[in-house]
């Protein structure tokens, strides 16, 4: 047998100097040759360690074996048995922490793991282009379920229930379906046409999505039960953005990442002549180190920023973002200021001219340098300020990407729904809340996490709902 | 899609629309707002509910034509549909236990003050309504206010309608003459609410101000509508839109309301240009 390729086959991408100025997808996807070659790297382990790393339990060696035989539709079929959104997960999952983390090539042979995410994406994209006709609609089982929120957890739950024959209605507060996939993750990382296609597939399965309805306001959970829904799944996602509580956070030019990304993605501010404005150009400082921070920084760059900084209080090793996104951001010229934390956002104020239009706008960010101290309770070394190390970064726009707190709307309007002290909905292992037949999952339960973990939670709840209503 | 049942031009810059929205009409309470998108590519804008009819399933909005979004909304007519109409959002005005209240509205803010006055009046509260406008030609809802208040006080900047002066002059006069209010509720331009709150603070009268900051989703997700109230960051969309007027940082709210002044000017000019072109071609 020929020696196994030590590295993953590289993903073709748009060159950094080009993609930094457009919103087209960065990663272009494997072609047939690359996909077949990468699939050959898989050992097809009998114990399937990769599968245990997958929050939705995709039979990974099985789908890869279909790719090895160039049976791409067969591969897609295996993936879609476990995942409602394969084209999305292939793009946004943190594979290096999940399936690929457990790959025997990496754990036992000191090679790069199989590019599982890239192969998943290949199969999903192939299916989207080549599929014939629409997905078959399962026979109805006579039960009716409501899903609140059309983000990853809601869509996963709705998809699994629809496959079992449930009549599923998804209520979405915004004007388009997809939740964070639409308002949060930018076009260059997840094209909206792909989200729309995944949503359309769910529609073919019989899932009905009603937009512009806010459960908790337009209609309550109790009223949904009165209307004949037998179970409700709450997948309302991340809520209000967190701020740092430092001076200057209300200056003009300071955004939460949610706001900045919603303007650009949902309201299409990145397009010329968009109705919703967004601040473009100048120096931009993004605070935080997660995927959302990377998305915000790279969006700002594409909107025409001259210089984009990411300010993060720990070191590169602790950056919570997907590795690929950090690499892409670096290649595009994002300036990482690690071990550094903002202490004040400084505003412009003209002493002489109270009518100066720049008054009240951001001028800079005062930061302090940090060093890593003793590990905290989660084992991460705690960042500690270095006394006297303050410095200022000139900035026109500041974007705060340090997480979110749960949305209070449903909690405030649903009697008997227990939440924890952070406001997250309390659930059992099966996804059941403190209210009978009310299930929950995703960021509304855990606080900000990943698309795939939210999908996993949606699937868990779907299984429990099936058991509760169909007694199996 | 929601149909416009009726459109009325209240004055040259203010329009009333009655929108078919049965689910919202069923739930709406004074003080709450909706998010409207006139067209599929239009901005999401919050508008406070001016009235509602649970039986016919309609919700009334009143808006001032100030920017590109309201200009486009105003191009729609009776029988047309708005792209989306979502709500009711925000918390309802708390009117419980009020025996005597002053409702102070300014300009198009009177559209929001009116349903509050109406609810108070209908529950038996003694309502003193003070409405202020720049001049007589901008007056809206005069008959409605008169019908739903125990006493009505009209003021205008130029004296062409009611007394010449500001709403704060009228309110001060009432307080000084010995009127005792459990609460003052004020809705209008930020600068007016700031001075109403400064006045009532001197007299120690609890005051509620209805805020209308820039919003996007309006459902507690983006944080655009944040205000500083009592030194804390609060979100108008889910925690408001009404807050204790004595605690609101109005100067900050005024500065934040100007964040997109330059972009809005460009968009407005563009919208004007397109509409003129449209008129030239067909309409």
């Amino acid at each position: 047998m020929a020696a196994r390729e030590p590295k993953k086959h590289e993903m073709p991408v748009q060159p950094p100097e080009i993609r930094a100025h457009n919103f087209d997808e960065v990663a272009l996807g494997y072609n047939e040759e690359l996909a077949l070659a990468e699939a050959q790297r898989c050992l097809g382990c009998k114990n399937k360690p990769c599968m245990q790393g997958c929050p939705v339990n995709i039979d990974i060696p099985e789908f890869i074996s279909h790719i090895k035989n160039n049976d791409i539709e067969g591969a897609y079929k295996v993936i879609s048995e476990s995942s409602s959104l394969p084209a999305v997960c292939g793009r946004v999952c943190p594979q290096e922490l999940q399936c690929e983390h457990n790959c025997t090539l990496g754990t036992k042979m000191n090679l790069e793991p199989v590019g599982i995410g890239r192969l998943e994406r290949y199969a999903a994209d192939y299916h989207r282009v080549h599929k014939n006709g629409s997905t078959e609609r399962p026979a109805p089982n006579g039960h009716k379920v409501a899903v609140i929120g059309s983000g990853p957890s809601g869509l996963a739950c709705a998809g699994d229930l629809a496959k079992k024959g449930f009549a599923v209605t998804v209520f979405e507060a915004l004007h388009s379906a997809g939740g964070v996939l639409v308002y949060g993750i930018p076009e260059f990382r997840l094209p909206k046409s792909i989200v729309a296609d995944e949503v359309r597939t769910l529609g073919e399965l019989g899932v009905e999505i009603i937009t512009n309805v806010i459960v908790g306001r337009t209609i309550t959970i109790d009223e949904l039960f009165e209307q004949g829904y037998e179970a409700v799944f709450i997948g309302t996602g991340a809520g209000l953005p967190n701020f740092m509580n430092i001076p200057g956070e209300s200056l003009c030019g300071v955004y939460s990442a949610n706001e900045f990304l919603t303007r650009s993605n949902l309201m299409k501010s990145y397009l010329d002549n968009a109705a919703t404005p967004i601040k473009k150009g100048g120096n931009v400082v993004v605070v935080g180190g997660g995927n959302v921070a990377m998305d915000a920084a790279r969006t700002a760059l594409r909107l025409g920023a001259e210089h984009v900084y990411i300010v993060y209080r720990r070191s590169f090793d602790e950056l919570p973002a997907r590795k690929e996104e950090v690499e892409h951001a670096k290649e595009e010229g994002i300036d990482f200021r690690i071990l550094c934390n903002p202490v004040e956002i400084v505003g412009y104020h003209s002493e002489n001219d109270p009518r100066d239009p720049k008054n009240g706008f951001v001028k800079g960010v005062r930061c302090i340098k940090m060093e890593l101290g003793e590990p905290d309770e989660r084992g991460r070394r705690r960042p500690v300020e270095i006394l006297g190390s303050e410095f200022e970064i000139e900035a026109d726009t500041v974007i705060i990407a340090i997480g979110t707190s749960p949305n209070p709307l449903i909690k405030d309007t649903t009697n008997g729904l227990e939440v924890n002290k952070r406001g997250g909905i309390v659930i059992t292992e099966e996804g059941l809340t403190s209210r009978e037949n009310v299930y929950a999952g995703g960021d509304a339960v855990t606080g900000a996490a990943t698309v795939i973990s939210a999908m996993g939670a949606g699937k868990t709840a779907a299984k429990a709902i099936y058991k509760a209503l169909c007694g199996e | 899609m929601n149909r416009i049942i009726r459109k009325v031009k209240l004055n040259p810059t203010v329009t009333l629309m009655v929108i078919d929205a049965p689910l919202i009409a069923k739930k709406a309470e004074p003080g709450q707002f909706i998010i409207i998108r006139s067209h599929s590519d239009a901005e999401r804008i919050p508008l406070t509910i001016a009235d509602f009819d649970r039986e016919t399933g309609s919700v009334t909005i009143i808006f001032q034509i100030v920017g590109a979004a309201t200009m486009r909304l105003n191009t729609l007519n009776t029988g047309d549909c708005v792209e989306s109409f979502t709500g009711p959002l925000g918390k309802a005005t708390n009117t419980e236990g009020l025996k005597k209240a002053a409702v102070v509205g300014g300009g198009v803010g009177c559209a929001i003050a009116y349903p509050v006055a109406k609810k108070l009046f209908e529950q038996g509260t003694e309502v003193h309504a003070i409405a202020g406008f720049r001049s007589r030609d901008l007056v809206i809802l005069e008959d409605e206010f008169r019908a739903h208040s125990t006493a009505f006080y009209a003021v205008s900047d130029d004296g062409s309608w009611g007394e010449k002066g500001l709403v704060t002059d009228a309110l001060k006069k009432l307080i000084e003459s010995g009127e005792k209010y459990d609460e003052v509720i004020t809705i209008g331009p930020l600068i007016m609410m700031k001075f109403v709150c400064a006045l009532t603070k001197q007299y120690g009268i609890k005051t509620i101000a209805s805020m209308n900051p820039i919003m996007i989703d309006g459902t507690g997700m983006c944080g655009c509508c944040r205000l500083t109230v009592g030194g804390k960051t609060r979100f108008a969309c889910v925690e408001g839109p009404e807050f204790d007027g004595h605690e609101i940082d109005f100067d900050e709210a005024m500065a934040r309301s100007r964040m997109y002044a330059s972009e809005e000017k460009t968009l407005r000019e563009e919208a004007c240009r397109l509409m003129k072109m449209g008129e030239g071609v067909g309409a």
Side-chain angles (χ1 to χ4, degrees):
Chain A
M1 192 174 111
R4 205 162 288 280
E5 294 271 347
K7 287 186 182 271
K8 281 185 216 176
H9 289 80
E10 276 203 32
M11 175 65 111
V13 293
Q14 278 196 72
E17 61 280 9
I18 307 242
R19 69 182 192 236
H21 304 289
N22 70 49
F23 276 84
D24 298 339
E25 193 169 14
V26 169
L28 303 170
Y30 279 164
N31 57 20
E32 182 182 318
E33 186 191 350
L34 281 167
L36 295 188
E38 184 62 26
Q40 289 303 331
R41 296 184 67 236
C42 177
L43 299 167
C45 307
K46 288 272 180 307
N47 58 344
K48 305 182 182 183
C50 47
M51 198 174 157
Q52 287 146 33
C54 175
V56 297
N57 286 307
I58 294 172
D59 190 339
I60 294 162
E62 178 66 18
F63 97 72
I64 294 180
S65 76
H66 283 277
I67 297 182
K68 282 181 186 168
N69 298 329
N70 208 358
D71 168 22
I72 313 302
E73 272 301 325
Y76 176 81
K77 208 165 156 244
V78 173
I79 299 169
S80 63
E81 275 164 18
S82 306
S83 168
S84 324
L85 310 165
V88 173
C89 295
R91 288 171 164 83
V92 304
C93 265
Q95 290 96 1
E96 73 268 21
L97 301 175
Q98 300 176 347
C99 50
E100 296 182 18
H101 180 75
N102 292 359
C103 176
T104 310
L105 292 187
T107 55
K108 299 265 162 59
M109 299 167 71
N110 210 20
L111 306 175
E112 276 193 9
V114 175
I116 300 169
R118 293 170 185 183
L119 291 173
E120 180 185 23
R121 170 181 165 162
Y122 177 72
D125 287 357
Y126 178 95
H127 171 77
R128 201 173 59 255
V129 176
H130 293 91
K131 73 174 168 187
N132 300 316
S134 61
T135 315
E136 206 175 312
R137 189 177 291 212
N141 69 8
H143 294 287
K144 208 170 140 185
V145 177
V147 169
I148 310 171
S150 65
S153 72
L155 293 181
C157 185
D160 276 15
L161 289 170
K163 284 178 196 163
K164 299 263 190 210
F166 286 86
V168 185
T169 309
V170 181
F171 296 93
E172 167 55 47
L174 295 174
H175 57 264
S176 33
V180 72
L181 308 175
V182 165
Y183 76 74
I185 303 178
E187 181 76 15
F188 58 83
R189 198 149 78 82
L190 178 63
K192 298 311 144 219
S193 59
I194 286 172
V195 181
D197 207 76
E198 302 268 29
V199 168
R200 202 176 310 126
T201 306
L202 288 178
E204 288 168 6
L205 282 172
V207 174
E208 183 191 18
I209 301 185
I210 305 180
T211 53
N212 301 304
V213 172
I214 299 149
V215 177
R217 288 276 185 248
T218 319
I219 193 162
T220 63
I221 285 183
D222 292 304
E223 288 167 326
L224 290 174
F225 282 113
E226 283 165 27
Q227 290 190 4
Y229 293 99
E230 297 158 83
V232 174
F233 174 76
I234 306 171
T236 46
L240 294 161
N242 294 338
F243 288 90
M244 292 176 287
N245 298 317
I246 59 170
E249 286 183 300
S250 293
L251 288 164
C252 292
V254 181
Y255 290 93
S256 76
N258 270 6
E259 179 187 349
F260 192 76
L261 291 170
T262 301
R263 283 179 183 270
S264 182
N265 300 329
L266 178 72
M267 305 312 295
K268 309 285 177 217
S269 304
Y270 71 90
L271 300 173
D272 290 339
N273 306 321
T276 303
I278 195 165
K279 294 289 175 192
K280 298 177 184 175
N283 280 358
V284 179
V285 171
V286 179
V287 182
N291 286 321
V292 174
M294 302 302 136
D295 286 346
R298 298 169 70 200
T299 296
L301 186 72
R302 285 159 172 76
L303 287 172
E306 285 149 36
H307 200 109
V308 182
Y309 301 88
I310 282 186
V311 170
Y312 177 59
R313 62 198 183 126
R314 291 183 159 98
S315 74
F316 274 118
D317 292 340
E318 288 85 17
L319 271 178
R322 263 179 111 220
K323 209 172 137 204
E324 188 174 286
E325 309 311 327
V326 177
E327 292 308 318
H328 283 165
K330 282 185 191 167
E331 288 165 10
E332 288 164 13
I334 305 288
D335 187 349
F336 283 79
R337 297 296 171 100
I338 53 152
L339 287 169
C340 152
N341 204 31
V343 290
E344 181 186 357
I345 301 170
V346 187
Y348 182 89
H349 179 72
S350 166
E351 292 296 335
N352 311 322
D353 183 4
R355 289 178 178 273
D356 188 329
K358 290 201 298 263
N359 282 343
F361 277 79
V362 171
K363 183 176 86 160
V365 182
R366 275 190 73 70
C367 296
I368 189 162
K369 291 186 177 159
M370 314 288 281
E371 58 190 352
L372 293 180
E374 294 301 309
D376 62 16
E377 63 276 10
R378 289 163 63 193
R380 289 203 304 180
R381 292 178 65 192
R382 207 186 293 272
V384 186
E385 292 183 355
I386 302 174
L387 279 181
S389 67
E390 281 108 338
F391 64 101
E392 191 169 325
I393 303 176
E394 257 185 60
D396 305 284
T397 299
V398 178
I399 304 168
I400 319 269
I402 57 165
T404 58
S405 303
N407 188 315
L409 267 186
I410 292 211
K411 173 199 70 164
D412 289 351
T413 54
T414 311
N415 281 333
L417 189 70
E418 196 189 328
V419 297
N420 62 27
K421 62 178 190 299
R422 287 177 299 106
I425 299 170
V426 176
I427 58 167
T428 65
E429 263 179 25
E430 294 200 305
L432 184 66
T433 68
S434 55
R435 276 283 304 263
E436 199 184 350
N437 293 324
V438 178
Y439 297 77
D443 286 7
V445 169
T446 56
T450 59
V451 167
I452 189 70
S453 63
M455 282 181 54
K459 293 179 73 70
T460 302
K463 208 183 277 174
I465 291 170
Y466 179 61
K467 209 171 95 183
L469 298 185
C470 301
E472 285 176 52
Chain B
M1 301 281 270
N2 297 71
R3 204 168 54 84
I4 301 166
I5 300 171
R6 196 157 62 89
K7 178 184 179 186
V8 185
K9 185 171 164 182
L10 296 183
N11 71 37
T13 61
V14 177
T15 299
L16 173 150
M17 280 181 182
V18 182
I19 310 279
D20 181 43
L23 286 179
I24 303 176
K26 206 172 134 192
K27 289 291 167 65
E29 290 291 342
Q32 291 188 297
F33 65 94
I34 52 88
I35 294 267
I36 190 169
R37 272 159 73 242
S38 60
H39 299 76
S40 62
D41 60 347
E43 223 178 329
R44 291 171 69 93
I45 53 169
L47 291 173
T48 306
I49 294 168
D51 208 348
F52 50 85
D53 187 329
R54 302 207 201 283
E55 275 166 29
T56 59
S58 67
V59 172
T60 304
I61 50 169
I62 295 177
F63 58 94
Q64 187 159 26
I65 302 148
V66 283
T70 42
M71 278 172 71
R72 281 187 83 190
L73 176 57
N74 198 47
T75 60
L76 298 176
N77 292 304
T78 302
D80 293 342
C81 285
V82 295
E83 183 69 26
S84 69
F85 194 76
T86 316
L89 289 155
K91 292 189 170 164
T93 309
N94 184 6
T95 55
E96 231 177 85
L98 297 182
K99 292 204 172 60
K100 184 166 174 173
V103 177
V104 183
V108 76
C110 288
I112 307 157
Y114 163 65
V116 176
K118 182 176 164 187
K119 178 163 185 188
L120 287 166
F121 185 75
E122 284 173 354
Q123 73 178 24
T125 302
E126 187 179 348
V127 180
H128 288 183
I130 303 170
F133 293 93
R134 280 211 310 278
S135 58
R136 173 176 287 277
D137 54 336
L138 298 177
V139 172
I140 57 170
L141 301 174
E142 180 177 352
D143 296 342
E144 287 85 347
F145 267 113
R146 285 190 187 280
H148 295 94
S149 56
T150 341
F152 179 70
Y153 305 89
V155 295
S156 60
D157 294 4
D158 64 358
S160 58
W161 182 71
E163 293 251 328
K164 181 173 162 57
L166 302 170
V167 290
T168 40
D169 300 332
L171 181 61
K172 187 172 183 181
K173 210 187 276 179
L174 287 165
I175 297 168
E176 299 261 289
S177 73
E179 300 286 357
K180 297 257 183 279
Y181 301 113
D182 298 330
E183 197 169 293
V184 172
I185 299 167
T186 181
I187 305 157
L190 288 167
I191 188 79
M192 180 203 93
M193 293 196 286
K194 175 183 169 176
F195 283 105
V196 167
C197 294
L199 174 73
T200 56
K201 196 167 184 179
Q202 289 170 27
Y203 295 96
I205 307 167
K206 184 181 174 194
T207 302
I208 297 296
S210 177
M211 305 299 281
N212 190 14
I214 304 171
M215 290 186 187
I216 308 173
D217 67 295
T219 64
M221 191 267 286
C222 82
C224 177
C225 66
R226 65 189 185 275
L227 306 160
T228 303
V229 182
K232 289 203 176 79
T233 298
R234 304 289 296 273
F235 300 96
C237 67
V238 286
E239 300 180 282
E242 297 180 351
F243 293 100
D244 181 341
H246 297 153
E247 300 280 333
I248 297 169
D249 185 338
F250 281 104
D251 292 334
E252 179 190 285
M254 283 188 269
R256 282 184 63 79
S257 72
R258 288 190 293 266
M259 180 154 163
Y260 293 101
S262 65
E263 287 86 351
E264 274 162 12
K265 188 164 170 273
T266 314
L267 285 165
R268 193 168 56 237
E269 282 163 1
E270 177 70 5
C272 284
R273 197 180 61 76
L274 287 173
M275 274 170 209
K276 280 199 189 106
M277 273 171 54
E279 278 165 22
V281 177

